[in-house]
Amino acid sequence: MTPPRKLHIKSYGCQMNVYDAQRMVDTLGAEGFVETAEAGDADLVILNTCHIREKASEKVYSELGRLRVAKEEAARQGRAMQIAVAGCVAQAEGAEIVTRAPTVDVVVGPQSYHHLPELLARAGRGEPAIETEFPAEDKFGFLARPSREAIRARGVSAFVTVQEGCDKFCTFCVVPYTRGSEMSRPVARILDEVTRLTENGVREITLIGQNVNAYHGEAPDGSTWTLGRLLYGIAEIPGVARIRYSTSHPNDVDDSLIAAHRDLASVMPFVHLPVQSGSDRILGLMNRKHGASDYRKVVDRFRAARPDIAFSSDFIVGFPGETEEDFRATLALIAQIGYAAAYSFKYSPRPGTPAADMQEMVSATEMDERLERLQSLIDSQQAAFNKAAIGTVVDVLFERAARKPGQLVGRTAYLQPAHVMAPDNIIGQVLPVRIDSLERYSLLGELVATAAPVAGAATPLVFIGG
Ligand code: 5AD
Ligand code: SF4
């Protein structure tokens, strides 16, 4: 019997890359590959890349420099190492990658992962193996399902892609070009996947998509389900304790999504709702197709349905033409909304996007200064939000052992990490925890005495807030 070939995969960027990496591992597992944590002893190394900002993109080339050395070392030991570049840089740059880094054997865009075995075989024969097409077939129908062991090894929280691509064309963003136009997976496939995950210990499902709330999937009866409708369907699957979804666009928040937050205890009251800027002028230049007050109204609708809901967002500072006044409008919006967390980025021009041709660049010093001011406002909001948990009892989904012996780490409804001294047979359960203190971003607390948890017992249902 030939020994299994070793696969090392490194993902950059978003949650969808994490999900895609798992699908690639599952698909190549069926071809006899096993995962290794070490790139140096792998027979195949896949870099699953991100193109969203220049910094993310450039990481690929420094990593490829290191891999070239590892590949030469493997060759000296008489081993062949193949190197594949996947993800959004692969999609955007295609054959250029091989020109710039001839050590690369395979370039594969996100829509072609199901062709990986064939591309590797082609590369093995010394033939070109570059694929950046958007094939007509749905790759998810061809990618292998994870084994039961793989699901268990990946823990109690899992991503499920429900939607891919984006038709919004924000002027700064490469996603519509790298992930293509919006497509939704059929409902039955998603429900099957969630059922299989929960049958194997998964308790939290995060539905992912670049524009997840634009979801419009075909249901078995021929009707079209929105994301809200899908949440009701998933909530009915036994074992689903928590449901999340990411990333949403404010314009696609419909009443079914709001109703799902109102009606379903398992839909977590924490929504990632990027706004990017608080200035109507900049939002216009960004082609976001909404203003700051439209965004505030969306937030209000969520809050009316679910008063304990919290939000996170993405912000870009230094978009071309952004003045101090525009930036202050962003700070004002942040102050009005009050976020539990947020990601913020300096604008990075991306080749091929409309904003890359805009002339009025904001200086690097101004960008740095604005980023710092924005982050300090967000940090203070986040600190206040976390501090408010002290002295309260919150539900925690226990995920894994923490570094400290005897301690477990889990997450609250708002994704705050919570560290608790507790027996590890409660991993996978949602239990109430009294929060005593805060250590940086992590909550420290104690299990609230209830009936002693029994290994393998059904997880209690979670009902949080109103
Ligand atoms: N420059 C800076 N940030 C960007 N993002 C997307 N494109 C760019 C860019 N060109 C940010 C947005 C988006 C997040 C995923 O990345 O805030 O919501
Ligand atoms: Fe990019 Fe999001 Fe805009 Fe789509 S909605 S173009 S993914 S920023």
Side-chain angles (χ1 to χ4, degrees):
M1 217 175 84
T2 48
R5 285 176 292 170
K6 291 185 191 161
L7 158 68
H8 178 80
I9 183 158
K10 187 165 179 181
S11 269
Y12 301 83
C14 67
Q15 298 168 334
M16 193 168 286
N17 267 5
V18 175
Y19 178 85
D20 286 347
Q22 292 175 350
R23 290 287 79 72
M24 286 190 254
V25 168
D26 299 332
T27 298
L28 292 169
E31 304 283 315
F33 280 94
V34 293
E35 243 187 311
T36 170
E38 285 300 318
D41 58 38
D43 302 295
L44 168 62
V45 179
I46 302 177
L47 297 184
N48 193 19
T49 62
C50 173
H51 196 56
I52 197 92
R53 285 169 294 274
E54 191 181 357
K55 232 180 174 172
S57 247
E58 282 304 311
K59 277 189 196 153
V60 181
Y61 289 100
S62 41
E63 190 62 37
L64 284 173
R66 284 189 284 276
L67 286 176
R68 181 175 54 84
V69 177
K71 186 173 177 171
E72 285 164 2
E73 178 56 33
R76 268 193 293 278
Q77 296 169 7
R79 287 191 298 119
M81 180 192 279
Q82 285 187 306
I83 298 176
V85 177
C88 291
V89 177
Q91 186 62 44
E93 297 186 6
E96 268 176 65
I97 295 177
V98 184
T99 311
R100 203 169 145 186
T103 193
V104 172
D105 301 284
V106 170
V107 176
V108 58
Q111 302 314 320
S112 304
Y113 293 153
H114 52 304
H115 295 157
L116 253 175
E118 184 195 321
L119 288 165
L120 291 168
R122 252 197 262 163
R125 296 192 296 267
E127 296 165 19
I130 297 169
E131 193 170 316
T132 54
E133 303 303 308
F134 287 98
E137 77 267 12
D138 169 13
K139 67 175 170 188
F140 295 109
F142 297 88
L143 288 166
R145 299 196 309 174
S147 65
R148 294 184 185 281
E149 297 70 40
I151 297 173
R152 291 190 177 273
R154 286 168 191 165
V156 301
S157 181
F159 296 133
V160 173
T161 292
V162 301
Q163 177 280 337
E164 194 169 352
C166 184
D167 294 341
K168 292 282 187 292
F169 290 94
C170 299
T171 53
F172 53 81
C173 186
V174 289
V175 166
Y177 312 98
T178 57
R179 292 277 173 170
S181 57
E182 230 175 78
M183 81 96 194
S184 295
R185 289 179 71 191
V187 168
R189 293 257 183 86
I190 295 166
L191 299 182
D192 279 356
E193 189 165 326
V194 172
T195 303
R196 190 173 156 82
L197 290 169
T198 52
E199 280 171 358
N200 293 286
V202 170
R203 310 305 319 277
E204 176 176 78
I205 301 289
T206 303
L207 306 178
I208 55 173
Q210 275 85 27
N211 191 176
V212 72
N213 59 332
Y215 178 81
H216 54 283
E218 195 188 331
D221 65 2
S223 66
T224 299
W225 281 20
T226 60
L227 179 66
R229 179 67 189 86
L230 185 64
L231 294 177
Y232 285 89
I234 290 174
E236 279 177 20
I237 296 175
V240 174
R242 290 182 163 186
I243 316 173
R244 305 178 184 279
Y245 58 89
S246 189
T247 292
S248 299
H249 190 286
N251 288 5
D252 293 322
V253 175
D254 69 359
D255 290 343
S256 74
L257 188 58
I258 302 282
H261 276 277
R262 184 195 59 211
D263 297 342
L264 302 171
S266 53
V267 173
M268 290 294 96
F270 187 43
V271 177
H272 185 55
L273 193 65
V275 64
Q276 315 296 354
S277 168
S279 153
D280 287 341
R281 201 177 68 82
I282 295 297
L283 288 167
L285 290 171
M286 287 177 164
N287 190 32
R288 290 286 295 178
K289 305 185 184 84
H290 64 78
S293 68
D294 303 312
Y295 181 83
R296 279 194 294 268
K297 281 182 201 142
V298 174
V299 167
D300 289 345
R301 280 163 64 213
F302 274 112
R303 284 187 167 146
R306 186 77 201 235
D308 63 344
I309 205 161
F311 294 90
S312 63
S313 181
D314 292 339
F315 296 95
I316 296 178
V317 300
F319 186 82
E322 184 189 71
T323 62
E324 172 65 22
E325 195 187 337
D326 293 317
F327 176 66
R328 286 202 186 148
T330 302
L331 295 182
L333 181 68
I334 296 172
Q336 279 172 353
I337 301 288
Y339 288 98
Y343 302 92
S344 45
F345 311 99
K346 289 188 269 186
Y347 170 70
S348 166
R350 305 310 293 130
T353 60
D357 297 328
M358 295 181 186
Q359 301 302 322
E360 276 183 84
M361 286 299 283
V362 173
S363 76
T365 22
E366 266 173 313
M367 275 207 219
D368 285 338
E369 191 243 4
R370 287 179 194 169
L371 188 70
E372 210 178 298
R373 283 158 70 197
L374 190 148
Q375 286 181 342
S376 91
L377 177 57
I378 292 289
D379 281 352
S380 66
Q381 292 191 340
Q382 186 169 14
F385 184 81
N386 288 340
K387 216 169 143 199
I390 298 175
T392 67
V393 173
V394 300
D395 283 315
V396 171
L397 169 60
F398 286 94
E399 292 185 354
R400 59 190 157 80
R403 243 180 262 147
K404 193 165 154 187
Q407 200 178 50
L408 298 185
V409 61
R411 292 202 181 253
T412 70
Y414 305 109
L415 285 178
Q416 298 146 300
H419 287 78
V420 180
M421 296 301 287
D424 57 11
N425 63 0
I426 64 164
I427 288 174
Q429 295 194 28
V430 180
L431 293 171
V433 169
R434 180 173 304 102
I435 303 303
D436 301 323
S437 60
L438 187 62
E439 209 177 271
R440 288 179 61 83
Y441 295 101
S442 183
L443 305 176
L444 303 181
E446 289 160 41
L447 277 182
V448 174
T450 50
V454 180
T459 298
L461 272 180
V462 208
F463 293 99
I464 311 159

